Amino acid sequence: MTVIVLTNCPAGLRGFLTRWLLEISPGVFVGAPTARVRDLLWDEVRTYVGQGRALLAHQADNEQGYTFRTHDHGWHPLDHEGLTLIHRPTRRDRPLTGNEPPTSGWSKAAKRRRFGGK
């Protein structure tokens, strides 16, 4: 089983993928191509994705039974003791301590609740 997810990609790329895979939702393609065809499709996706993002998930011979690849995606796969996990970066590089000033977009009630004061 192979799943390719495209975000903000050209319509021509989506049409190209429908030759080998079934588009079950806008930008989500599933199918069972051979490993060779899957790798060729992924190369084409990476070439023609433009400003968009792409994610490929397919079955593999490992503990999880699958693996995935990303292209221009904010989330990146990480190997953690033999398991592949997704690292989703945050806007802040350090953990919150509770003493940071509130960011824009907080309501006055939320600021009072979180940081105290009047």
Side-chain angles (χ1 to χ4, degrees):
M1 174 66 97
T2 298
V3 178
I4 296 178
V5 180
L6 302 177
T7 306
N8 194 22
C9 292
L13 179 58
R14 291 174 56 190
F16 172 78
L17 287 176
T18 57
R19 295 178 190 169
W20 291 276
L21 304 171
L22 180 64
E23 187 172 14
I24 59 171
S25 185
V28 180
F29 299 86
V30 297
T34 64
R36 182 177 179 185
V37 171
R38 178 192 67 227
D39 291 339
L40 290 171
L41 288 173
W42 183 243
D43 289 341
E44 291 294 316
V45 166
R46 290 180 32 207
T47 302
Y48 296 110
V49 75
Q51 298 295 319
R53 300 179 304 183
L55 179 110
L56 166 72
H58 61 89
Q59 70 184 73
D61 190 21
N62 59 18
E63 268 188 42
Q64 289 175 300
Y66 63 90
T67 188
F68 42 87
R69 304 177 207 169
T70 61
H71 178 75
D72 286 346
H73 207 277
W75 300 4
H76 301 285
L78 289 176
D79 184 12
H80 180 73
E81 297 182 6
L83 293 176
T84 305
L85 304 173
I86 286 283
H87 176 255
R88 190 174 99 182
T90 60
R91 293 201 293 173
R92 297 181 180 180
D93 295 332
R94 56 187 170 76
L96 292 175
T97 62
N99 298 328
E100 296 85 8
T103 60
S104 62
W106 285 54
S107 69
K108 290 180 182 178
K111 288 178 192 176
R112 274 188 241 115
R113 207 175 306 122
R114 171 87 171 162
F115 300 101
K118 294 182 181 181

